[in-house]
Amino acid sequence: KTFNMQQQRLDGEAQKALKDAKKQARFNPPPKEKVGKMPKWKQQHLEFQNALKAGRGEQPMVSHFGSGPGMAPPPPQDMRVECPHCYRRFAEQVAERHIPRCKNIVNKPKPMVRRR
């Protein structure tokens, strides 16, 4: 079979409709749907801003869940997993590799004193 370009071309009305649809999409883009959760950097940024405002005595920015006046900002959410043997924190997949190895280490350094 040979490729016939004339059969593949759009007729005049279809071309006009396609051109109108492209123009309409360019001037009226569809609303972007929010997919998933808030990015990590944005979550850290909001936590930092809330901590600064709490230090100044202002009301921190609150999500739609809300919190009463005078309440302290929520503690930062650390998504890392703490090793029960050396008390270091790792990402979830890295912790799965680290914890079995760390359990068998004989000459472990003393764990750091954590200030909370």
Side-chain angles (χ1 to χ4, degrees):
K1 270 182 158 178
T2 58
F3 183 75
N4 188 352
M5 187 63 176
Q6 288 180 338
Q7 290 179 349
Q8 297 297 320
R9 289 190 187 130
L10 298 173
D11 61 343
E13 291 177 24
Q15 283 181 344
K16 186 176 181 183
L18 181 65
K19 192 181 284 187
D20 290 342
K22 283 184 180 179
K23 188 182 284 187
Q24 188 74 13
R26 194 169 93 199
F27 290 114
N28 297 330
K32 294 183 180 179
E33 295 180 21
K34 190 171 186 177
V35 179
K37 59 180 182 175
M38 190 181 309
K40 182 180 176 184
W41 68 267
K42 192 167 188 177
Q43 186 177 19
Q44 290 174 344
H45 174 70
L46 291 174
E47 288 173 3
F48 178 68
Q49 283 185 336
N50 289 341
L52 289 176
K53 288 184 179 187
R56 288 191 300 242
E58 295 179 20
Q59 180 69 25
M61 287 180 16
V62 181
S63 67
H64 62 280
F65 295 110
S67 62
M71 292 183 72
Q77 295 179 355
D78 193 4
M79 302 305 288
R80 297 178 295 172
V81 178
E82 187 172 297
C83 173
H85 308 289
C86 65
Y87 304 104
R88 291 164 58 195
R89 295 179 176 268
F90 298 95
E92 193 172 325
Q93 292 176 342
V94 178
E96 290 174 6
R97 294 190 313 250
H98 169 82
I99 292 172
R101 291 180 184 162
C102 187
K103 179 172 59 173
N104 299 326
I105 295 176
V106 177
N107 294 326
K108 262 183 241 175
K110 293 182 181 178
M112 294 174 39
V113 177
R114 293 204 181 255
R115 295 181 190 174
R116 293 182 189 207

